[in-house]
Amino acid sequence: MAQLVEQELLNPSDYIPRVVGRYSPLLIDHGKGIYVWDVNGERYADFTSGIAVVNTGHCHPRVVAAIQEQAARIIHAQANILAHSPMMQAAKLLTETTTPNLNQVFWTNSGAEAIEGAIKLAKVATGRPAVIAFKGAFHGRTHATMAVTSSRVKVRGHYEPLIPSVYHAPYPYLFRSPYKGAPEDADLFYFAELEALFDQMVMPDDVAAILAETVLGEGGYMVPTKRWMQMVRELCDRHGILLILDEVQSGMGRTGTMWAYEHFDVVPDIMAVAKGVASGMPVSAVVSDRALMDKWAPGAHGGTYGGNAVGTAAAVATFEVMRDEDLPGNAARMGEILMAGLREIQADYPVIGDVRGLGLMVATEFVHPDGSPNPEAVKTVIAKAFEEKTLLITCGTYDQAIRIVPPLVVTEEQIREFLDVYRRAVAAAA
Ligand SMILES: Cc1ncc(COP(=O)(O)O)c(C=O)c1O
């Protein structure tokens, strides 16, 4: 374990505004693998991955070495002024993992910026103004990304006016579907709601893009059906609409495949990538086909820091670690053990209404006996897990679910230890 650093203990609330809500009181010193250590030397198992970011684990030695080496060479080689190897190498490695039509990478700095870029590209490429997004989605906090976000009203409320010409359809939330027919047909109901926008709200040839999280994250970890996703793809094709998939949270091996779209046998026209792409360095990307990217004239979009040399060097190391350690494969294997263990806990404690997810993008939704959302149980479980030195975060509009998103380097032993902690925490809430 690394030496704890001597530091003056400042109070976050003196310097950092309260808008930065805090999930834990921890003042952190360092991290390694799935663990972080606070300034008192206490170790915590991080089942948040810093909101699904450190997929290679905290401070993977190869990522650390790449950052150190690049920082000593050049930190800021501005992309419009100087090309550099990490930026291109990372794009090459990224596009080697994607479908052939995702072959060029516009580097940005955050998930929101990637979504902004994706929407701008879709508008320019189609010459159309409108975007269709899904209820419950989270895409970021800039003005355009707030407009396509509806996971919680506090993200967008009080910021109006947002960008116009955004239309919302319900995303398949199969656990709470209003559809009263056969459960296996619920996805058809959701698709019909989407298609009805064209009868009631917007002409299809005014729509530049349909934007969807491949697996819905912040809004509750909802996994759509393959059929629904394929119908959305087909709808786009029918009307010349571009399909933007937001893989900011679901990408980079998280769901047991490198990209979540692989589960659904669909191919996006534009993909937004962030979070896990550089193991915690602020790197994100808009990924698309050269033919589409060519519609962006030089200078029609840009940014000072996009493709930062240190950030993309971290991305290079991240892709190499993903490949060499088969982290998507580990996510698939560990995810199965995790889901099976959670289902056993659910069988004993009906306060868990639903266990859902893909790979290591997993959530449990908590319910009252009448089936209504139970955020109080969520609070208790998170607090109890924290007492046992395990970090967890919520998701869902009502904070009715807990997401379980450990780094993809997690071992079976660590998953089983976690399941023991979780069982005790759920028992306390039941
Ligand atoms: C699916 C998705 N898209 C976009 C974003 C926005 O990313 P950022 O916070 O880096 O702007 C997030 C962040 O949680 C996300 O989960």
Side-chain angles (χ1 to χ4, degrees):
M1 183 173 73
Q3 284 289 315
L4 293 181
V5 179
E6 285 273 330
Q7 48 189 291
E8 190 188 350
L9 295 185
L10 301 172
N11 184 354
S13 61
D14 288 344
Y15 295 97
I16 310 297
R18 69 192 184 116
V19 70
V20 184
R22 301 185 71 216
Y23 264 101
S24 88
L26 290 185
L27 197 52
I28 221 63
D29 185 82
H30 65 279
K32 186 148 192 54
I34 74 156
Y35 299 109
V36 293
W37 283 261
D38 73 2
V39 289
N40 303 314
E42 293 290 345
R43 189 186 81 172
Y44 290 79
D46 182 3
F47 276 70
T48 75
S49 295
I51 321 190
V53 169
V54 289
N55 292 3
T56 59
H58 286 282
C59 296
H60 192 289
R62 289 174 70 181
V63 176
V64 172
I67 291 170
Q68 287 174 332
E69 201 180 299
Q70 184 57 45
R73 228 172 246 280
I74 189 162
I75 295 172
H76 179 59
Q78 206 283 330
N80 299 107
I81 301 171
L82 305 164
H84 56 80
S85 176
M87 172 175 95
M88 291 175 291
Q89 199 62 32
K92 178 170 181 286
L93 288 172
L94 192 164
T95 54
E96 279 172 6
T97 67
T98 55
T99 158
N101 73 309
L102 299 177
N103 49 44
Q104 284 204 334
V105 180
F106 178 86
W107 291 113
T108 46
N109 309 287
S110 68
E113 210 189 326
I115 295 293
E116 284 272 349
I119 292 172
K120 286 175 73 173
L121 176 60
K123 286 186 173 181
V124 164
T126 59
R128 301 175 178 187
V131 176
I132 293 176
F134 291 94
K135 282 189 193 152
F138 184 87
H139 298 291
R141 293 169 179 279
T142 60
H143 267 74
T145 58
M146 279 193 290
V148 287
T149 288
S150 54
S151 55
R152 298 164 201 255
V153 73
K154 74 177 172 194
V155 174
R156 51 184 283 144
H158 299 317
Y159 294 108
E160 308 247 359
L162 306 177
I163 67 159
S165 297
V166 174
Y167 300 87
H168 293 271
Y171 192 90
Y173 184 2
L174 300 171
F175 180 61
R176 292 194 181 280
S177 169
Y179 180 67
K180 297 291 171 245
E184 61 274 19
D185 291 339
D187 57 349
L188 299 178
F189 157 80
Y190 284 101
F191 181 74
E193 291 283 303
L194 167 64
E195 225 181 0
L197 289 179
F198 296 149
D199 299 325
Q200 298 172 322
M201 300 292 288
V202 60
M203 292 290 187
D205 60 3
D206 276 338
V207 178
I210 294 182
L211 165 64
E213 287 174 83
T214 319
V215 175
L216 192 127
E218 166 76 19
Y221 275 34
M222 277 64 128
V223 185
T225 65
K226 190 169 176 173
R227 175 168 66 174
W228 179 85
M229 193 60 94
Q230 293 186 345
M231 290 171 87
V232 173
R233 173 71 270 183
E234 193 278 323
L235 188 69
C236 288
D237 291 340
R238 210 182 325 147
H239 296 294
I241 296 169
L242 298 176
L243 177 61
I244 304 174
L245 289 183
D246 179 342
E247 294 254 354
V248 166
Q249 190 158 168
S250 59
M252 290 304 293
R254 173 58 55 194
T255 65
T257 52
M258 192 63 186
W259 305 106
Y261 67 72
E262 296 168 43
H263 293 283
F264 303 96
D265 289 335
V266 295
V267 171
D269 300 298
I270 304 173
M271 174 170 77
V273 176
K275 289 194 185 278
V277 70
S279 296
M281 295 295 282
V283 175
S284 66
V286 183
V287 189
S288 189
D289 186 53
R290 187 189 184 119
L292 272 185
M293 289 287 199
D294 277 350
K295 306 217 169 160
W296 247 348
H301 191 45
T304 303
Y305 293 111
N308 171 267
V310 180
T312 49
V316 170
T318 299
F319 281 108
E320 289 172 349
V321 168
M322 284 266 155
R323 180 193 63 203
D324 297 349
E325 297 184 17
D326 184 25
L327 294 189
N330 194 55
R333 288 186 293 277
M334 294 306 115
E336 269 181 31
I337 297 167
L338 176 62
M339 294 269 277
L342 291 171
R343 292 215 162 97
E344 281 173 22
I345 298 173
Q346 180 189 22
D348 294 338
Y349 298 102
V351 70
I352 297 183
D354 195 26
V355 175
R356 56 180 177 255
L358 266 181
L360 284 173
M361 186 170 179
V362 174
T364 55
E365 176 160 342
F366 288 78
V367 293
H368 289 294
D370 67 357
S372 60
N374 188 344
E376 299 82 15
V378 165
K379 254 193 198 139
T380 304
V381 173
I382 289 185
K384 287 286 168 193
F386 186 74
E387 281 172 20
E388 295 210 38
K389 309 242 172 329
T390 300
L391 305 180
L392 288 166
I393 47 170
T394 66
C395 59
T397 300
Y398 306 102
D399 279 326
Q400 74 272 31
I402 295 178
R403 30 184 156 175
I404 302 163
V405 269
L408 309 186
V409 294
V410 71
T411 64
E412 178 170 349
E413 193 188 346
Q414 290 165 335
I415 291 281
R416 296 210 183 276
E417 277 172 20
F418 167 79
L419 286 167
D420 290 342
V421 170
Y422 207 66
R423 173 174 282 279
R424 286 191 290 273
V426 172

